[in-house]
């Protein structure tokens, strides 16, 4: 398991704040996988690397909370990064048979998503961009067949979790966005850390660099001392 410094994660967080999701995903990975063509990886392979980084930062267990679509009851469950990483695609090029025709396609990548203006990357445009061999004009049914085959070949491309509400029995399929989930955790972690830096800087006059150089355990110890003094005072 790789050890990631607090300053590295803060830099990633600061860089990603103003970035759209696809670029943010690549920014999260670049410091750790500089020798890999990240933007050219299938989305599921990219997300598997994001889950690996998540393991390095926070461990394998991902606590999740959703609200029931029917009664708004709170549902809590845990996903394992190792289970999701096992869904990463192993091959890029695939074929599907439809109406007597063989359609050859490759799996979508970050480059494909970035090829269109923000918000303009419709499923049809992405599918058409990923076609390698196909009839001149694909029907709606043919596009649906390709989309289904893509999702089967790369389960993380549109990963969904089957849920049933224990309160009202409502069942539905909830999407799980790997990039959004990992970023949400990093964002919350970074804000807590900066708050801790602020507290220690005020208490001891230390600079941010020195505080971040402390191990998490030593930072926590000093924070306890500061909080204990405040409670006594």
């Amino acid at each position: 398991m790789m050890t990631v410094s607090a300053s590295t994660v803060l830099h990633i967080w600061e860089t990603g704040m103003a970035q759209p999701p696809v670029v943010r995903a690549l920014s999260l990975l670049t410091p750790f996988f500089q020798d890999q063509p990240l933007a050219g990886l299938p989305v599921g392979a990219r997300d598997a690397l994001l889950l690996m980084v998540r393991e390095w930062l926070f461990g394998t267990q991902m606590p999740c909370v959703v609200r029931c679509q029917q009664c708004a009851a709170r549902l809590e469950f845990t996903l394992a990064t190792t289970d999701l990483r096992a869904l990463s695609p192993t091959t890029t090029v695939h074929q599907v048979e439809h109406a007597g025709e063989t359609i050859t396609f490759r799996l979508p990548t970050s480059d494909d998503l970035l090829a269109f203006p923000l918000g303009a990357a419709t499923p049809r445009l992405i599918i058409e961009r990923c076609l390698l061999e196909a009839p001149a004009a694909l029907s709606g049914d043919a596009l649906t067949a390709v989309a289904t085959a893509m999702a089967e070949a790369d389960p993380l491309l549109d990963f969904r979790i089957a849920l049933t509400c224990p309160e009202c029995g409502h069942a539905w399929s909830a999407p799980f966005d790997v990039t959004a989930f990992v970023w949400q955790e990093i964002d919350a972690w970074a804000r807590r850390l900066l708050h801790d830096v602020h507290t220690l800087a005020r208490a001891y006059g230390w600079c941010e660099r020195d505080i971040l150089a402390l191990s998490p355990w030593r930072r926590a110890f000093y924070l306890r001392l500061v909080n204990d003094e405040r409670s006594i005072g």
Side-chain angles (χ1 to χ4, degrees):
M1 179 177 290
M2 179 181 291
T3 301
V4 185
S5 70
S7 58
T8 296
V9 182
L10 278 180
H11 177 71
I12 293 171
W13 170 76
E14 188 175 11
T15 301
M17 286 289 288
Q19 293 176 330
V22 177
V23 179
R24 181 178 288 166
L26 298 175
S27 294
L28 287 171
L29 292 174
T30 299
F32 310 107
F33 303 100
Q34 297 183 14
D35 59 339
Q36 294 202 36
L38 298 171
L41 293 176
V43 171
R46 180 205 70 190
D47 285 356
L49 293 180
L50 281 173
L51 291 166
M52 186 179 296
V53 172
R54 197 274 177 195
E55 290 178 15
W56 295 339
L57 295 175
F58 309 119
T60 62
Q61 300 302 298
M62 299 187 294
C64 304
V65 178
V66 297
R67 293 283 181 180
C68 174
Q69 296 177 328
Q70 193 73 27
C71 69
R74 178 186 172 95
L75 279 74
E76 298 182 8
F77 58 95
T78 300
L79 297 176
T81 57
T82 49
D83 292 340
L84 268 62
R85 285 203 293 113
L87 301 176
S88 176
T90 56
T91 55
T92 301
V93 178
H94 298 265
Q95 291 183 329
V96 62
E97 299 290 332
H98 179 77
E101 298 276 3
T102 299
I103 303 172
T104 304
F105 64 90
R106 60 175 177 78
L107 296 178
T109 67
S110 298
D111 276 334
D112 295 318
L113 302 177
L114 294 171
F116 304 96
L118 187 63
T122 65
R124 183 185 185 96
L125 289 175
I126 294 172
I127 290 173
E128 290 176 344
R129 180 178 167 85
C130 294
L131 294 177
L132 300 178
E133 294 182 19
L138 289 184
S139 65
D141 288 344
L143 287 170
T144 299
V146 175
T148 300
M150 279 184 173
E152 292 175 351
D154 188 354
L156 292 178
L157 188 60
D158 184 24
F159 186 67
R160 293 178 176 271
I161 306 165
L163 297 171
T164 302
C165 177
E167 299 294 331
C168 70
H170 175 67
W172 77 102
S173 179
F176 182 82
D177 187 323
V178 171
T179 298
F181 185 89
V182 173
W183 175 257
Q184 184 178 39
E185 289 188 311
I186 289 177
D187 181 60
W189 177 90
R191 293 175 187 274
R192 289 194 302 270
L193 178 59
L194 290 177
H195 183 272
D196 292 345
V197 169
H198 170 73
T199 299
L200 293 176
R202 289 191 65 185
Y204 295 105
W206 298 337
C207 68
E208 181 185 78
R209 181 185 64 254
D210 292 339
I211 295 171
L212 294 179
L214 296 172
S215 69
W217 298 274
R218 290 179 68 183
R219 278 199 303 270
F221 182 82
Y222 284 119
L223 284 167
R224 284 196 299 272
L225 291 178
V226 172
N227 292 329
D228 289 344
E229 288 185 355
R230 288 177 175 176
S231 64
I232 294 173

